Amino acid sequence: MKIKGLLLLLFAFILNTALAQSGGTIRGNVYDEDTGEPIIYGNVLLEGTNYGTNTDFDGFFSIGNLPAGDYSLKITYLGYDSIVADIKLKEGAIVYKSLYMKPSAVNLETVNVSSRKEQSRSDVQVSKVTVTPKQIRSLPSTGGEADIAQYLPVLPGIIVSGDQGGQLYIRGGSPVQNKILLDGMTIYNPFHSIGFFSVFETETIRSVDVLTGGFNADQGGRISAIVDIKTREGDKKKLSGLVSASPFQAKTLIEGPIKKLEGPGTGSISFLLTGKHSYLDQTSKALYSYAVDTNFFSFAARDTSFQDIKKSDIGLPYTYTDVYGKLSFLGGNGSKLNLFGFNFTDRFNFIGLAKLDWQTTGAGANFTLIPPNSNVIMDGTIAISDYEIKLEEADGRPRRSAVNSYSAALNFSYFGSNSQINYGFEFTGFNTDFEFRNSLGVRFQQQDFTTELAGYFKYKQKLGNLIMEPGLRLHYYASQSEMSVEPRLGLKYNVTDFLRLKFAGGFYSQNLISTVNDLDVVNFFIGFLAGPESTLFQPGTRTPTKHNLQKSYHAVGGMEIDLTNNLFLNVEPYLKRFTQLININRNKINETDPNFITETGDAYGIDLSLRYEKSNLYLWATYSLGRVVRDDGVQQYPTIFDRRHNVNFLASYNFGKDKNWEAGLRWNLGSGFPFTQTQGFYEQNNYSDLVFTDILTGNFGLGTILSNDLNGGRLSYYHRLDASLKRTFEFSKDSKLEITLSVTNVYNRDNVFYVDRVTNSRVDQLPVLPSLAAQFSF
């Protein structure tokens, strides 16, 4: 308790000192003159001084604690004409400017102190990768449809377990340990069963921040990683949209102003509505019938009742529908309000074997309030969502899970000349309803309601070449009556203009548990439970644990090197120590056995990335060396997603007279996943009817005897090449047609998914999948 008190006193002193600073403030928003879209990471400079900053994802900037005087405010951004505004600042005054940049008719390749480069020098950014829609679209994509689900595995430290029902693992953290946010709302199941597509529409995304570890106090409630997705507002000046179709899906988007944005100091009201639907279950019967072997028939190999079914009658039995809408109100001083809602559904049906349905619905609002006479900026989110999933299998044991969640967050930001303070509060409540029966027929059920309340404080200070970012998060879990005190720290030191050293670390906790087990090879059923309130025991013992939360701590180091003006190297060694993990006890034999078991674990390694950027060429190469282990108290074993080596290479090239051709390549190489080897087989006779059972000659089901060495074997290496070629036809300034030819798994590599232990039949991931897609924008 003394340490908690000292930490609170320290941060209270820092807050009081920072807020006591005097001076004036210059702030504003920068927009694209044609569309009204914000200019992200634009360079903001007060000419003739050392004061400067970058715009954020809303195009907002703020420079505080400025001496009174006359200033010349200059805004620059690659591909736009620079703008200059003269400002007269009085002592203690706040001056707001709404500025509009005009796209340049000339490609300003000389303005190559890019916003990304400037941001890396002024922000800590440890284990943080920001992904733009342009980067997502440049990736060769399955079905010719760009999607964040296909881009995330390109990032260093991120592993996907497979094409079908594959899960996302981030630097040793399993899916439930990674929080996925959409406009500030938690999305519990963000990926469709086919694995290539997410619930998020690429054309609505403004930015994606992937925090693979060591994140600061403004994020919490998970012990591994954060993926923060923000959507854009609808077009503020004109009605526009798009329609597209491919063998995998069709989608449409329409957006426009209800009240047009007229110019500086004016407001607007705009809308955005998008929807997509997959008909792969129908098109695959004609186009990809050869791919069915890796799906249905691998599952049905042991059941003779399916021998007469034709592949052309089955197809790839996946379908989904996603709808998202947003209504945006923008004020003349940069304040804004967004109202949004969505409905995501997913279904697959392996006839006679398994049928799965899940649905997520939700709605919310987020706002930014920029008071005219205060240095403190406010923003917040209110959201509610409902997630439900059902799985019916041939064994007659249905599984069901539901999560009803509601949340509210309020954040405050204060900007100084060389400092920034962020603090805020979060409230989360969720109901969980879960039921299943294990292979022994023992029933497990949990219905629970819990709330979480968190407060955080983060302080950023520039001291010469050093950037410090200490933080503190207090997270209270009501159902556990547990307060988690979580100090965080981020550091960066600019050794030279081209070399930067960095460090981040902290303590993390969560109270959400997934039904997906780290021993599962594939699991389409993704359910959730609140953390148990009953007594837990330390791994392999009958000693009670000190708490019922999952906890970890992170330590991440690294360096960034600008090898040239266009070539950048990033190196990050990391450690995640999971001091307590909680799983469902799947080996429960009796109703009196504990429902949950605990484990500990470690994830450590090093990630390297090399990026080359020029006007028409983008190259990115990554290598990850990692190890992920768990300890159940009996033995230490590698998880099924422990991929020791992982290599990605991505290339995108624009060519042609008007740069209307784009070619893309992506190659991935990964070492084999672990699996538990088979020792032998036995006949499954439960001796329930000894009178009529012929023990000597009867035919019974075949069971397997597994090795005591968990995940002691390794599958073969994985590698795959994807390619795409896109041609753009421009009909006018606002209308164009894009034709995309893409090939997934170009050289048709047979990448093993798993091997059926009983039939010894190998199940491969998806084979070569060519496709042609068209998208018309207006």
Side-chain angles (χ1 to χ4, degrees), residues 415-426:
F415 298 89
S417 57
N418 290 300
S419 63
Q420 181 176 334
I421 294 173
N422 299 91
Y423 59 96
F425 307 93
E426 298 175 12

Side-chain angles (χ1 to χ4, degrees), residues 312-332:
S312 60
D313 296 332
I314 302 299
L316 295 171
Y318 303 99
T319 184
Y320 54 83
T321 302
D322 300 327
V323 178
Y324 177 86
K326 190 172 189 178
L327 186 63
S328 303
F329 303 82
L330 177 67

Side-chain angles (χ1 to χ4, degrees), residues 240-315:
S240 59
L242 65 85
V243 290
S244 75
S246 76
F248 284 73
Q249 66 179 28
K251 67 180 179 183
T252 184
L253 179 147
I254 187 166
E255 58 182 316
I258 298 175
K259 176 187 175 184
K260 285 187 178 181
L261 182 66
E262 300 293 347
T266 65
S268 70
I269 304 173
S270 61
F271 74 93
L272 183 151
L273 181 64
T274 182
K276 64 174 182 276
H277 176 72
S278 171
Y279 38 75
L280 184 61
D281 56 333
Q282 301 301 318
T283 57
S284 60
K285 295 176 182 179
L287 299 177
Y288 305 122
S289 60
Y290 61 90
V292 179
D293 279 326
T294 64
N295 290 268
F296 177 80
F297 286 93
S298 62
F299 291 105
R302 281 177 279 168
D303 195 331
T304 58
S305 63
F306 298 102
Q307 291 178 354
D308 295 330
I309 296 180
K310 298 178 181 179
K311 288 186 285 186
S312 60
D313 296 332
I314 302 299

